[in-house]
Amino acid sequence: MNSESTVPPHNLESDRGLLLVYSHNGTEFSDVEFNNWYDEEHIPQRLRFPGCNNASRYQAIDSKYPPWAALYHTTSSDIPESEEWFKLREVASDTERAILARLPIMTRSTFTLSSFHRPPESEPTAGLGTGAGKVICIVHLQVTAVEALEQTDLETSFIRWYQDFIIKGVSKTPGWIRSRVYNRHDGRDMKTTPELKVAMDSGMLVIHEWNENGDAMDVSKQESNVSAQVQIWEKDRRCKVTRETRIMTLYKEW
């Protein structure tokens, strides 16, 4: 069940960086023990770090692993890659050290905001996009040239098409409040899987968000349609698009 949130609206324009962390408590810890540590110690400590604007945690509703994701929005993508940020581990409690040592999956990557898309001011949902989305679709993307276009030209063409065509289509689904496009900045694999590493190393990340009126089934249907459209684009340009998507629901925001 999702936690209630009383987080006040924040300035989305200052969220230029993103730290995305996937985790899985496996059988080592109960959900209660894992979430108590994450919610009461781990995230609050990082929110006190200068430049960390807000954070949210999501739980999978797509039956994929890992089941948990945390998003930290920062003023710059350099912040969660700084020596000072990683020094937080040096002051970690015994509880945090024990949990981090035994988690089966805990992997992270940082991203820089490339473009921001939200409803026009005239739309009914325009004023609802100042908090974390209640349902999100995280999309990891990597386009690779096989022949014809040069890699740089291909990436530019793909991003333009994705923004002008795919995001435009996604924006018509009920409850949509925003889509953000990111470029990968850096990453450090702590504990991961081969499949998750491919996703986290992808050069492009898109996060679509819906409010409480968004329906997860609508998101899933839209995702199937997008998948078909990407395959057509891929075939027409004789390239390879690596794509991994996650559909998750808000657990808690700060």
Side-chain angles (χ1 to χ4, degrees):
M1 181 179 294
N2 294 357
S3 300
E4 293 295 327
S5 175
T6 57
V7 177
H10 60 268
N11 179 15
L12 299 172
E13 303 302 329
S14 66
D15 297 344
R16 309 303 300 177
L18 174 72
L19 168 62
L20 170 62
V21 180
Y22 284 114
S23 59
H24 183 22
N25 50 313
T27 59
E28 292 289 330
F29 308 95
S30 68
D31 284 349
V32 172
E33 186 178 7
F34 177 66
N35 290 328
N36 282 344
W37 159 72
Y38 224 130
D39 299 348
E40 297 176 13
E41 178 181 350
H42 190 73
I43 284 185
Q45 185 183 48
R46 281 143 185 80
L47 284 173
R48 292 192 290 270
F49 197 91
C52 186
N53 297 332
N54 56 84
S56 53
R57 290 188 63 212
Y58 287 86
Q59 189 169 16
I61 52 176
D62 56 9
S63 301
K64 296 181 181 180
Y65 284 88
W68 295 98
L71 279 66
Y72 301 83
H73 292 284
T74 59
T75 54
S76 167
S77 51
D78 290 323
I79 289 173
E81 294 294 346
S82 65
E83 291 185 15
E84 291 78 9
W85 181 282
F86 284 100
K87 283 182 179 178
L88 292 175
R89 298 179 186 177
E90 298 176 6
V91 296
S93 68
D94 290 341
T95 298
E96 173 150 328
R97 293 176 188 273
I99 290 178
L100 288 176
R102 294 165 59 193
L103 288 178
I105 294 178
M106 187 76 166
T107 191
R108 70 195 303 278
S109 282
T110 51
F111 303 86
T112 301
L113 185 67
S114 173
S115 63
F116 189 100
H117 309 262
R118 58 185 169 190
E121 293 299 326
S122 58
E123 292 293 326
T125 55
L128 299 177
T130 54
K134 303 303 183 291
V135 177
I136 65 172
C137 182
I138 304 174
V139 188
H140 299 271
L141 292 160
Q142 181 68 50
V143 57
T144 305
V146 177
E147 56 181 290
L149 286 174
E150 292 290 332
Q151 180 68 28
T152 302
D153 294 337
L154 184 64
E155 291 174 352
T156 300
S157 177
F158 179 74
I159 292 172
R160 184 183 303 115
W161 171 79
Y162 196 96
Q163 293 178 154
D164 294 345
F165 184 73
I166 299 299
I167 292 180
K168 183 177 180 179
V170 169
S171 71
K172 300 182 185 303
T173 54
W176 177 80
I177 55 174
R178 77 178 75 92
S179 294
R180 289 187 263 204
V181 181
Y182 296 90
N183 294 321
R184 189 175 186 275
H185 175 69
D186 205 343
R188 302 192 185 191
D189 292 316
M190 299 167 67
K191 296 178 181 180
T192 188
T193 65
E195 296 80 11
L196 184 56
K197 178 172 174 53
V198 170
M200 295 295 270
D201 286 349
S202 296
M204 179 179 170
L205 177 78
V206 182
I207 300 181
H208 306 292
E209 301 180 57
W210 290 263
N211 63 21
E212 62 272 12
N213 297 318
D215 188 293
M217 288 301 295
D218 287 334
V219 175
S220 296
K221 292 176 183 176
Q222 178 67 27
E223 163 57 22
S224 297
N225 179 59
V226 170
S227 180
Q229 296 300 324
V230 169
Q231 289 176 14
I232 293 173
W233 192 92
E234 180 183 50
K235 183 178 180 180
D236 288 345
R237 286 153 184 82
R238 300 178 183 177
C239 64
K240 175 64 177 177
V241 178
T242 302
R243 183 168 171 271
E244 175 62 29
T245 66
R246 299 300 314 272
I247 300 176
M248 313 188 90
T249 185
L250 181 67
Y251 165 75
K252 190 173 182 179
E253 65 175 315
W254 290 260

